[in-house]
């Protein structure tokens, strides 16, 4: 989970005044980072799961590994939702500008 909780989303702090092109680029970068972290979480879980099967207290170990995975994925999902919300707001502002210019 480390990286996911330590990083903030630069794209979410932008307002509707930001350039759509740069916002789109930062959105893509942020989405790629979230995807990479999600893959890393799954890879780490698979490794931890394999280690758990070699321990005596297998169920406790698996439960802990699953809880860590669930927490990390929930954090990434929250980041993704925040990113989606910011993108939706930017689109709304752009749509309002189009309507006002007519």
């Amino acid at each position: 989970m480390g990286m996911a909780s330590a990083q903030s989303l630069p794209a979410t702090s932008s307002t509707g005044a930001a350039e759509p092109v740069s916002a789109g680029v930062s959105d893509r970068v942020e989405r790629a980072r979230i995807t990479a972290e999600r893959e890393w979480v799954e890879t780490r879980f698979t490794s931890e799961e394999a280690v758990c099967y070699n321990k005596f207290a297998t169920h406790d170990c698996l439960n802990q590994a699953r809880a860590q995975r669930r927490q990390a994925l929930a954090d990434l999902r929250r980041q993704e939702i925040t990113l989606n919300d910011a993108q939706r707001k930017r689109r709304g502002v752009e749509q309002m500008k189009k309507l006002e210019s007519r």
Side-chain angles (χ1 to χ4, degrees):
M1 134 179 80
M3 275 182 18
S5 61
Q7 292 184 346
S8 64
L9 293 173
T12 59
S13 63
S14 66
T15 62
E19 286 183 18
V21 174
S22 65
V25 170
S26 64
D27 282 355
R28 283 194 304 258
V29 169
E30 229 11 69
R31 289 183 195 286
R33 181 193 62 80
I34 290 170
T35 300
E37 282 194 46
R38 191 172 278 136
E39 290 171 1
W40 179 80
V41 167
E42 291 297 338
T43 301
R44 185 183 66 185
F45 172 73
T46 302
S47 298
E48 289 175 358
E49 188 179 40
V51 169
C52 287
Y53 284 117
N54 292 323
K55 290 186 176 183
F56 179 74
T58 303
H59 290 296
D60 288 338
C61 182
L62 287 172
N63 288 339
Q64 184 178 7
R66 288 178 185 137
Q68 288 175 349
R69 176 177 144 211
R70 205 172 22 256
Q71 185 177 5
L73 291 177
D75 184 44
L76 290 172
R77 181 65 185 140
R78 278 190 295 276
Q79 291 177 35
E80 191 174 44
I81 288 169
T82 302
L83 186 60
N84 291 343
D85 187 45
Q87 184 179 30
R88 192 176 308 108
K89 286 178 183 177
R90 278 194 308 274
R91 285 183 191 158
V93 169
E94 290 172 13
Q95 188 65 27
M96 292 300 289
K97 286 180 183 178
K98 281 182 184 179
L99 292 173
E100 289 175 359
S101 69
R102 290 183 182 180

